[in-house]
PDB file of all heavy atoms in Angstrom:
ATOM      1  N   ALA C   1     -10.345 -13.196 -34.708  1.00 97.00           N
ATOM      2  CA  ALA C   1     -10.393 -14.099 -35.865  1.00 97.00           C
ATOM      3  C   ALA C   1      -8.988 -14.312 -36.423  1.00 97.00           C
ATOM      4  O   ALA C   1      -8.612 -15.450 -36.735  1.00 97.00           O
ATOM      5  CB  ALA C   1     -11.311 -13.529 -36.937  1.00 97.00           C
ATOM      6  N   ALA C   2      -8.220 -13.246 -36.532  1.00 96.00           N
ATOM      7  CA  ALA C   2      -6.855 -13.362 -37.059  1.00 96.00           C
ATOM      8  C   ALA C   2      -5.988 -14.233 -36.151  1.00 96.00           C
ATOM      9  O   ALA C   2      -5.260 -15.116 -36.627  1.00 96.00           O
ATOM     10  CB  ALA C   2      -6.243 -11.978 -37.217  1.00 96.00           C
ATOM     11  N   ARG C   3      -6.076 -14.009 -34.837  1.00 96.00           N
ATOM     12  CA  ARG C   3      -5.261 -14.791 -33.886  1.00 96.00           C
ATOM     13  C   ARG C   3      -5.638 -16.263 -33.871  1.00 96.00           C
ATOM     14  O   ARG C   3      -4.780 -17.117 -33.704  1.00 96.00           O
ATOM     15  CB  ARG C   3      -5.420 -14.228 -32.478  1.00 96.00           C
ATOM     16  CG  ARG C   3      -4.450 -13.106 -32.160  1.00 96.00           C
ATOM     17  CD  ARG C   3      -4.529 -12.782 -30.696  1.00 96.00           C
ATOM     18  NE  ARG C   3      -5.854 -12.233 -30.442  1.00 96.00           N
ATOM     19  CZ  ARG C   3      -6.103 -11.166 -29.712  1.00 96.00           C
ATOM     20  NH1 ARG C   3      -5.149 -10.555 -29.100  1.00 96.00           N
ATOM     21  NH2 ARG C   3      -7.308 -10.712 -29.559  1.00 96.00           N
ATOM     22  N   ARG C   4      -6.936 -16.534 -34.018  1.00 97.00           N
ATOM     23  CA  ARG C   4      -7.398 -17.924 -33.915  1.00 97.00           C
ATOM     24  C   ARG C   4      -7.547 -18.617 -35.269  1.00 97.00           C
ATOM     25  O   ARG C   4      -8.001 -19.756 -35.334  1.00 97.00           O
ATOM     26  CB  ARG C   4      -8.739 -17.967 -33.171  1.00 97.00           C
ATOM     27  CG  ARG C   4      -8.607 -17.488 -31.735  1.00 97.00           C
ATOM     28  CD  ARG C   4      -9.888 -17.689 -30.983  1.00 97.00           C
ATOM     29  NE  ARG C   4      -9.815 -17.130 -29.645  1.00 97.00           N
ATOM     30  CZ  ARG C   4     -10.799 -17.190 -28.771  1.00 97.00           C
ATOM     31  NH1 ARG C   4     -11.938 -17.777 -29.089  1.00 97.00           N
ATOM     32  NH2 ARG C   4     -10.667 -16.652 -27.575  1.00 97.00           N
ATOM     33  N   GLY C   5      -7.217 -17.915 -36.334  1.00 97.00           N
ATOM     34  CA  GLY C   5      -7.308 -18.511 -37.667  1.00 97.00           C
ATOM     35  C   GLY C   5      -8.740 -18.753 -38.122  1.00 97.00           C
ATOM     36  O   GLY C   5      -9.014 -19.691 -38.870  1.00 97.00           O
ATOM     37  N   ILE C   6      -9.660 -17.904 -37.683  1.00 98.00           N
ATOM     38  CA  ILE C   6     -11.076 -18.028 -38.058  1.00 98.00           C
ATOM     39  C   ILE C   6     -11.339 -17.168 -39.290  1.00 98.00           C
ATOM     40  O   ILE C   6     -10.987 -15.988 -39.311  1.00 98.00           O
ATOM     41  CB  ILE C   6     -11.994 -17.597 -36.896  1.00 98.00           C
ATOM     42  CG1 ILE C   6     -11.754 -18.485 -35.669  1.00 98.00           C
ATOM     43  CG2 ILE C   6     -13.461 -17.623 -37.322  1.00 98.00           C
ATOM     44  CD1 ILE C   6     -12.457 -17.990 -34.401  1.00 98.00           C
ATOM     45  N   ASP C   7     -11.940 -17.763 -40.291  1.00 97.00           N
ATOM     46  CA  ASP C   7     -12.288 -17.017 -41.505  1.00 97.00           C
ATOM     47  C   ASP C   7     -13.458 -16.087 -41.194  1.00 97.00           C
ATOM     48  O   ASP C   7     -14.520 -16.534 -40.768  1.00 97.00           O
ATOM     49  CB  ASP C   7     -12.667 -17.989 -42.624  1.00 97.00           C
ATOM     50  CG  ASP C   7     -13.025 -17.280 -43.925  1.00 97.00           C
ATOM     51  OD1 ASP C   7     -12.759 -16.074 -44.063  1.00 97.00           O
ATOM     52  OD2 ASP C   7     -13.582 -17.960 -44.820  1.00 97.00           O
ATOM     53  N   ASN C   8     -13.244 -14.793 -41.390  1.00 98.00           N
ATOM     54  CA  ASN C   8     -14.308 -13.814 -41.156  1.00 98.00           C
ATOM     55  C   ASN C   8     -14.632 -13.054 -42.436  1.00 98.00           C
ATOM     56  O   ASN C   8     -15.019 -11.893 -42.406  1.00 98.00           O
ATOM     57  CB  ASN C   8     -13.926 -12.846 -40.030  1.00 98.00           C
ATOM     58  CG  ASN C   8     -15.153 -12.156 -39.450  1.00 98.00           C
ATOM     59  OD1 ASN C   8     -16.161 -12.799 -39.180  1.00 98.00           O
ATOM     60  ND2 ASN C   8     -15.077 -10.854 -39.280  1.00 98.00           N
ATOM     61  N   SER C   9     -14.478 -13.735 -43.563  1.00 97.00           N
ATOM     62  CA  SER C   9     -14.811 -13.121 -44.853  1.00 97.00           C
ATOM     63  C   SER C   9     -16.314 -12.930 -44.949  1.00 97.00           C
ATOM     64  O   SER C   9     -17.093 -13.769 -44.492  1.00 97.00           O
ATOM     65  CB  SER C   9     -14.359 -14.019 -46.005  1.00 97.00           C
ATOM     66  OG  SER C   9     -12.981 -14.248 -45.929  1.00 97.00           O
ATOM     67  N   LEU C  10     -16.695 -11.830 -45.575  1.00 98.00           N
ATOM     68  CA  LEU C  10     -18.116 -11.527 -45.731  1.00 98.00           C
ATOM     69  C   LEU C  10     -18.693 -12.338 -46.885  1.00 98.00           C
ATOM     70  O   LEU C  10     -18.181 -12.273 -48.010  1.00 98.00           O
ATOM     71  CB  LEU C  10     -18.304 -10.035 -46.016  1.00 98.00           C
ATOM     72  CG  LEU C  10     -19.757  -9.572 -46.108  1.00 98.00           C
ATOM     73  CD1 LEU C  10     -20.378  -9.523 -44.712  1.00 98.00           C
ATOM     74  CD2 LEU C  10     -19.833  -8.208 -46.768  1.00 98.00           C
ATOM     75  N   PRO C  11     -19.764 -13.091 -46.657  1.00 98.00           N
ATOM     76  CA  PRO C  11     -20.429 -13.773 -47.768  1.00 98.00           C
ATOM     77  C   PRO C  11     -20.995 -12.728 -48.740  1.00 98.00           C
ATOM     78  O   PRO C  11     -21.531 -11.700 -48.291  1.00 98.00           O
ATOM     79  CB  PRO C  11     -21.565 -14.557 -47.100  1.00 98.00           C
ATOM     80  CG  PRO C  11     -21.187 -14.648 -45.661  1.00 98.00           C
ATOM     81  CD  PRO C  11     -20.387 -13.406 -45.371  1.00 98.00           C
ATOM     82  N   PRO C  12     -20.872 -12.939 -50.044  1.00 98.00           N
ATOM     83  CA  PRO C  12     -21.335 -11.949 -51.029  1.00 98.00           C
ATOM     84  C   PRO C  12     -22.793 -11.528 -50.833  1.00 98.00           C
ATOM     85  O   PRO C  12     -23.132 -10.372 -51.065  1.00 98.00           O
ATOM     86  CB  PRO C  12     -21.148 -12.653 -52.368  1.00 98.00           C
ATOM     87  CG  PRO C  12     -20.133 -13.714 -52.113  1.00 98.00           C
ATOM     88  CD  PRO C  12     -20.275 -14.109 -50.675  1.00 98.00           C
ATOM     89  N   GLU C  13     -23.625 -12.428 -50.360  1.00 97.00           N
ATOM     90  CA  GLU C  13     -25.047 -12.098 -50.194  1.00 97.00           C
ATOM     91  C   GLU C  13     -25.292 -11.096 -49.065  1.00 97.00           C
ATOM     92  O   GLU C  13     -26.393 -10.545 -48.951  1.00 97.00           O
ATOM     93  CB  GLU C  13     -25.897 -13.357 -49.984  1.00 97.00           C
ATOM     94  CG  GLU C  13     -25.604 -14.145 -48.736  1.00 97.00           C
ATOM     95  CD  GLU C  13     -24.518 -15.213 -48.882  1.00 97.00           C
ATOM     96  OE1 GLU C  13     -23.762 -15.201 -49.877  1.00 97.00           O
ATOM     97  OE2 GLU C  13     -24.444 -16.070 -47.982  1.00 97.00           O
ATOM     98  N   LEU C  14     -24.282 -10.831 -48.225  1.00 98.00           N
ATOM     99  CA  LEU C  14     -24.448  -9.863 -47.136  1.00 98.00           C
ATOM    100  C   LEU C  14     -23.875  -8.483 -47.471  1.00 98.00           C
ATOM    101  O   LEU C  14     -23.985  -7.555 -46.661  1.00 98.00           O
ATOM    102  CB  LEU C  14     -23.805 -10.380 -45.850  1.00 98.00           C
ATOM    103  CG  LEU C  14     -24.512 -11.561 -45.181  1.00 98.00           C
ATOM    104  CD1 LEU C  14     -23.810 -11.943 -43.889  1.00 98.00           C
ATOM    105  CD2 LEU C  14     -25.974 -11.245 -44.919  1.00 98.00           C
ATOM    106  N   LEU C  15     -23.294  -8.323 -48.661  1.00 98.00           N
ATOM    107  CA  LEU C  15     -22.708  -7.031 -49.027  1.00 98.00           C
ATOM    108  C   LEU C  15     -23.748  -5.915 -49.005  1.00 98.00           C
ATOM    109  O   LEU C  15     -23.480  -4.823 -48.502  1.00 98.00           O
ATOM    110  CB  LEU C  15     -22.036  -7.111 -50.400  1.00 98.00           C
ATOM    111  CG  LEU C  15     -21.330  -5.830 -50.847  1.00 98.00           C
ATOM    112  CD1 LEU C  15     -20.252  -5.413 -49.848  1.00 98.00           C
ATOM    113  CD2 LEU C  15     -20.744  -6.013 -52.234  1.00 98.00           C
ATOM    114  N   GLU C  16     -24.940  -6.190 -49.501  1.00 97.00           N
ATOM    115  CA  GLU C  16     -25.995  -5.170 -49.504  1.00 97.00           C
ATOM    116  C   GLU C  16     -26.388  -4.788 -48.074  1.00 97.00           C
ATOM    117  O   GLU C  16     -26.596  -3.616 -47.770  1.00 97.00           O
ATOM    118  CB  GLU C  16     -27.215  -5.663 -50.280  1.00 97.00           C
ATOM    119  CG  GLU C  16     -28.311  -4.632 -50.394  1.00 97.00           C
ATOM    120  CD  GLU C  16     -29.515  -5.119 -51.196  1.00 97.00           C
ATOM    121  OE1 GLU C  16     -29.402  -6.105 -51.943  1.00 97.00           O
ATOM    122  OE2 GLU C  16     -30.578  -4.492 -51.048  1.00 97.00           O
ATOM    123  N   VAL C  17     -26.475  -5.775 -47.191  1.00 97.00           N
ATOM    124  CA  VAL C  17     -26.852  -5.513 -45.797  1.00 97.00           C
ATOM    125  C   VAL C  17     -25.789  -4.656 -45.101  1.00 97.00           C
ATOM    126  O   VAL C  17     -26.122  -3.660 -44.463  1.00 97.00           O
ATOM    127  CB  VAL C  17     -27.071  -6.828 -45.014  1.00 97.00           C
ATOM    128  CG1 VAL C  17     -27.290  -6.557 -43.525  1.00 97.00           C
ATOM    129  CG2 VAL C  17     -28.248  -7.605 -45.581  1.00 97.00           C
ATOM    130  N   VAL C  18     -24.508  -5.018 -45.233  1.00 98.00           N
ATOM    131  CA  VAL C  18     -23.476  -4.239 -44.535  1.00 98.00           C
ATOM    132  C   VAL C  18     -23.354  -2.842 -45.135  1.00 98.00           C
ATOM    133  O   VAL C  18     -23.019  -1.890 -44.420  1.00 98.00           O
ATOM    134  CB  VAL C  18     -22.102  -4.951 -44.471  1.00 98.00           C
ATOM    135  CG1 VAL C  18     -22.208  -6.250 -43.688  1.00 98.00           C
ATOM    136  CG2 VAL C  18     -21.488  -5.155 -45.827  1.00 98.00           C
ATOM    137  N   THR C  19     -23.661  -2.706 -46.420  1.00 98.00           N
ATOM    138  CA  THR C  19     -23.649  -1.376 -47.031  1.00 98.00           C
ATOM    139  C   THR C  19     -24.771  -0.520 -46.442  1.00 98.00           C
ATOM    140  O   THR C  19     -24.545   0.653 -46.097  1.00 98.00           O
ATOM    141  CB  THR C  19     -23.768  -1.468 -48.562  1.00 98.00           C
ATOM    142  OG1 THR C  19     -22.664  -2.237 -49.061  1.00 98.00           O
ATOM    143  CG2 THR C  19     -23.756  -0.095 -49.208  1.00 98.00           C
ATOM    144  N   LYS C  20     -25.960  -1.096 -46.263  1.00 97.00           N
ATOM    145  CA  LYS C  20     -27.059  -0.358 -45.632  1.00 97.00           C
ATOM    146  C   LYS C  20     -26.715  -0.003 -44.181  1.00 97.00           C
ATOM    147  O   LYS C  20     -27.036   1.092 -43.714  1.00 97.00           O
ATOM    148  CB  LYS C  20     -28.354  -1.186 -45.670  1.00 97.00           C
ATOM    149  CG  LYS C  20     -28.995  -1.232 -47.033  1.00 97.00           C
ATOM    150  CD  LYS C  20     -30.270  -2.062 -47.008  1.00 97.00           C
ATOM    151  CE  LYS C  20     -30.882  -2.148 -48.390  1.00 97.00           C
ATOM    152  NZ  LYS C  20     -32.067  -3.016 -48.407  1.00 97.00           N
ATOM    153  N   THR C  21     -26.061  -0.920 -43.497  1.00 98.00           N
ATOM    154  CA  THR C  21     -25.639  -0.645 -42.126  1.00 98.00           C
ATOM    155  C   THR C  21     -24.635   0.501 -42.112  1.00 98.00           C
ATOM    156  O   THR C  21     -24.709   1.399 -41.266  1.00 98.00           O
ATOM    157  CB  THR C  21     -25.035  -1.911 -41.471  1.00 98.00           C
ATOM    158  OG1 THR C  21     -26.028  -2.953 -41.483  1.00 98.00           O
ATOM    159  CG2 THR C  21     -24.606  -1.654 -40.040  1.00 98.00           C
ATOM    160  N   ALA C  22     -23.705   0.508 -43.060  1.00 98.00           N
ATOM    161  CA  ALA C  22     -22.711   1.587 -43.159  1.00 98.00           C
ATOM    162  C   ALA C  22     -23.384   2.930 -43.431  1.00 98.00           C
ATOM    163  O   ALA C  22     -23.003   3.953 -42.850  1.00 98.00           O
ATOM    164  CB  ALA C  22     -21.690   1.270 -44.247  1.00 98.00           C
ATOM    165  N   VAL C  23     -24.402   2.937 -44.293  1.00 97.00           N
ATOM    166  CA  VAL C  23     -25.138   4.181 -44.575  1.00 97.00           C
ATOM    167  C   VAL C  23     -25.802   4.691 -43.299  1.00 97.00           C
ATOM    168  O   VAL C  23     -25.755   5.890 -43.000  1.00 97.00           O
ATOM    169  CB  VAL C  23     -26.174   3.955 -45.707  1.00 97.00           C
ATOM    170  CG1 VAL C  23     -27.132   5.128 -45.821  1.00 97.00           C
ATOM    171  CG2 VAL C  23     -25.459   3.703 -47.037  1.00 97.00           C
ATOM    172  N   ARG C  24     -26.381   3.793 -42.536  1.00 97.00           N
ATOM    173  CA  ARG C  24     -27.028   4.192 -41.282  1.00 97.00           C
ATOM    174  C   ARG C  24     -25.996   4.659 -40.259  1.00 97.00           C
ATOM    175  O   ARG C  24     -26.234   5.601 -39.500  1.00 97.00           O
ATOM    176  CB  ARG C  24     -27.854   3.035 -40.738  1.00 97.00           C
ATOM    177  CG  ARG C  24     -29.084   2.764 -41.587  1.00 97.00           C
ATOM    178  CD  ARG C  24     -29.739   1.463 -41.229  1.00 97.00           C
ATOM    179  NE  ARG C  24     -31.083   1.396 -41.778  1.00 97.00           N
ATOM    180  CZ  ARG C  24     -31.714   0.266 -42.038  1.00 97.00           C
ATOM    181  NH1 ARG C  24     -31.129  -0.890 -41.789  1.00 97.00           N
ATOM    182  NH2 ARG C  24     -32.934   0.284 -42.529  1.00 97.00           N
ATOM    183  N   LEU C  25     -24.832   4.000 -40.237  1.00 98.00           N
ATOM    184  CA  LEU C  25     -23.771   4.402 -39.321  1.00 98.00           C
ATOM    185  C   LEU C  25     -23.210   5.776 -39.692  1.00 98.00           C
ATOM    186  O   LEU C  25     -22.781   6.528 -38.815  1.00 98.00           O
ATOM    187  CB  LEU C  25     -22.669   3.344 -39.307  1.00 98.00           C
ATOM    188  CG  LEU C  25     -21.735   3.359 -38.101  1.00 98.00           C
ATOM    189  CD1 LEU C  25     -22.492   3.175 -36.795  1.00 98.00           C
ATOM    190  CD2 LEU C  25     -20.671   2.281 -38.261  1.00 98.00           C
ATOM    191  N   GLU C  26     -23.252   6.106 -40.970  1.00 98.00           N
ATOM    192  CA  GLU C  26     -22.845   7.460 -41.403  1.00 98.00           C
ATOM    193  C   GLU C  26     -23.740   8.517 -40.750  1.00 98.00           C
ATOM    194  O   GLU C  26     -23.265   9.587 -40.375  1.00 98.00           O
ATOM    195  CB  GLU C  26     -22.916   7.605 -42.925  1.00 98.00           C
ATOM    196  CG  GLU C  26     -21.808   6.931 -43.677  1.00 98.00           C
ATOM    197  CD  GLU C  26     -20.463   7.645 -43.626  1.00 98.00           C
ATOM    198  OE1 GLU C  26     -20.353   8.740 -43.031  1.00 98.00           O
ATOM    199  OE2 GLU C  26     -19.508   7.084 -44.179  1.00 98.00           O
ATOM    200  N   LYS C  27     -25.026   8.204 -40.583  1.00 98.00           N
ATOM    201  CA  LYS C  27     -25.940   9.144 -39.923  1.00 98.00           C
ATOM    202  C   LYS C  27     -25.553   9.335 -38.458  1.00 98.00           C
ATOM    203  O   LYS C  27     -25.621  10.445 -37.930  1.00 98.00           O
ATOM    204  CB  LYS C  27     -27.386   8.656 -40.029  1.00 98.00           C
ATOM    205  CG  LYS C  27     -27.944   8.716 -41.432  1.00 98.00           C
ATOM    206  CD  LYS C  27     -29.370   8.213 -41.468  1.00 98.00           C
ATOM    207  CE  LYS C  27     -29.916   8.244 -42.886  1.00 98.00           C
ATOM    208  NZ  LYS C  27     -31.277   7.731 -42.971  1.00 98.00           N
ATOM    209  N   VAL C  28     -25.136   8.234 -37.800  1.00 98.00           N
ATOM    210  CA  VAL C  28     -24.680   8.326 -36.409  1.00 98.00           C
ATOM    211  C   VAL C  28     -23.426   9.187 -36.351  1.00 98.00           C
ATOM    212  O   VAL C  28     -23.312  10.084 -35.514  1.00 98.00           O
ATOM    213  CB  VAL C  28     -24.414   6.919 -35.820  1.00 98.00           C
ATOM    214  CG1 VAL C  28     -23.772   7.015 -34.441  1.00 98.00           C
ATOM    215  CG2 VAL C  28     -25.700   6.111 -35.762  1.00 98.00           C
ATOM    216  N   ARG C  29     -22.497   8.939 -37.263  1.00 98.00           N
ATOM    217  CA  ARG C  29     -21.246   9.704 -37.303  1.00 98.00           C
ATOM    218  C   ARG C  29     -21.525  11.190 -37.522  1.00 98.00           C
ATOM    219  O   ARG C  29     -20.936  12.047 -36.858  1.00 98.00           O
ATOM    220  CB  ARG C  29     -20.340   9.173 -38.416  1.00 98.00           C
ATOM    221  CG  ARG C  29     -18.956   9.790 -38.419  1.00 98.00           C
ATOM    222  CD  ARG C  29     -18.175   9.334 -39.663  1.00 98.00           C
ATOM    223  NE  ARG C  29     -16.773   9.687 -39.577  1.00 98.00           N
ATOM    224  CZ  ARG C  29     -16.275  10.900 -39.780  1.00 98.00           C
ATOM    225  NH1 ARG C  29     -17.092  11.910 -40.066  1.00 98.00           N
ATOM    226  NH2 ARG C  29     -14.979  11.118 -39.690  1.00 98.00           N
ATOM    227  N   ALA C  30     -22.435  11.493 -38.438  1.00 98.00           N
ATOM    228  CA  ALA C  30     -22.774  12.896 -38.718  1.00 98.00           C
ATOM    229  C   ALA C  30     -23.406  13.553 -37.494  1.00 98.00           C
ATOM    230  O   ALA C  30     -23.107  14.707 -37.179  1.00 98.00           O
ATOM    231  CB  ALA C  30     -23.711  12.981 -39.920  1.00 98.00           C
ATOM    232  N   LEU C  31     -24.254  12.826 -36.804  1.00 98.00           N
ATOM    233  CA  LEU C  31     -24.910  13.363 -35.622  1.00 98.00           C
ATOM    234  C   LEU C  31     -23.897  13.625 -34.497  1.00 98.00           C
ATOM    235  O   LEU C  31     -23.942  14.659 -33.838  1.00 98.00           O
ATOM    236  CB  LEU C  31     -25.990  12.389 -35.151  1.00 98.00           C
ATOM    237  CG  LEU C  31     -27.032  12.903 -34.197  1.00 98.00           C
ATOM    238  CD1 LEU C  31     -27.790  14.083 -34.765  1.00 98.00           C
ATOM    239  CD2 LEU C  31     -28.014  11.779 -33.873  1.00 98.00           C
ATOM    240  N   LEU C  32     -22.976  12.682 -34.309  1.00 98.00           N
ATOM    241  CA  LEU C  32     -21.944  12.849 -33.291  1.00 98.00           C
ATOM    242  C   LEU C  32     -20.908  13.891 -33.735  1.00 98.00           C
ATOM    243  O   LEU C  32     -20.214  14.469 -32.904  1.00 98.00           O
ATOM    244  CB  LEU C  32     -21.242  11.522 -32.998  1.00 98.00           C
ATOM    245  CG  LEU C  32     -22.104  10.411 -32.379  1.00 98.00           C
ATOM    246  CD1 LEU C  32     -21.315   9.117 -32.282  1.00 98.00           C
ATOM    247  CD2 LEU C  32     -22.652  10.823 -31.024  1.00 98.00           C
ATOM    248  N   ASP C  33     -20.801  14.074 -35.030  1.00 98.00           N
ATOM    249  CA  ASP C  33     -19.859  15.027 -35.632  1.00 98.00           C
ATOM    250  C   ASP C  33     -18.410  14.717 -35.265  1.00 98.00           C
ATOM    251  O   ASP C  33     -17.586  15.611 -35.092  1.00 98.00           O
ATOM    252  CB  ASP C  33     -20.221  16.470 -35.240  1.00 98.00           C
ATOM    253  CG  ASP C  33     -19.542  17.500 -36.136  1.00 98.00           C
ATOM    254  OD1 ASP C  33     -19.241  17.178 -37.302  1.00 98.00           O
ATOM    255  OD2 ASP C  33     -19.286  18.611 -35.642  1.00 98.00           O
ATOM    256  N   LYS C  34     -18.122  13.427 -35.124  1.00 97.00           N
ATOM    257  CA  LYS C  34     -16.777  12.954 -34.770  1.00 97.00           C
ATOM    258  C   LYS C  34     -16.559  11.592 -35.432  1.00 97.00           C
ATOM    259  O   LYS C  34     -17.513  10.873 -35.721  1.00 97.00           O
ATOM    260  CB  LYS C  34     -16.624  12.771 -33.252  1.00 97.00           C
ATOM    261  CG  LYS C  34     -16.909  13.992 -32.425  1.00 97.00           C
ATOM    262  CD  LYS C  34     -15.807  15.007 -32.527  1.00 97.00           C
ATOM    263  CE  LYS C  34     -16.117  16.199 -31.621  1.00 97.00           C
ATOM    264  NZ  LYS C  34     -15.351  17.358 -31.928  1.00 97.00           N
ATOM    265  N   PRO C  35     -15.295  11.196 -35.627  1.00 97.00           N
ATOM    266  CA  PRO C  35     -15.018   9.861 -36.189  1.00 97.00           C
ATOM    267  C   PRO C  35     -15.482   8.745 -35.262  1.00 97.00           C
ATOM    268  O   PRO C  35     -15.365   8.842 -34.044  1.00 97.00           O
ATOM    269  CB  PRO C  35     -13.495   9.838 -36.336  1.00 97.00           C
ATOM    270  CG  PRO C  35     -13.078  11.263 -36.304  1.00 97.00           C
ATOM    271  CD  PRO C  35     -14.087  11.983 -35.459  1.00 97.00           C
TER     272      PRO C  35
END
């Protein structure tokens, strides 16, 4: 996106969704016990 000049800003209405995804990804990280 940066190289091609594509806007990849998150629409405000998706903040809740990506936050839930991040919470779920934290569970994956904890299970793997690695970054």
Side-chain angles (χ1 to χ4, degrees):
R3 273 189 294 225
R4 296 187 185 181
I6 299 171
D7 181 13
N8 200 46
S9 302
L10 184 74
E13 64 271 15
L14 290 182
L15 183 58
E16 183 179 342
V17 173
V18 298
T19 301
K20 285 180 182 176
T21 301
V23 168
R24 290 168 164 155
L25 200 59
E26 285 285 357
K27 291 180 181 178
V28 173
R29 187 187 191 283
L31 197 58
L32 295 174
D33 196 27
K34 303 286 182 197

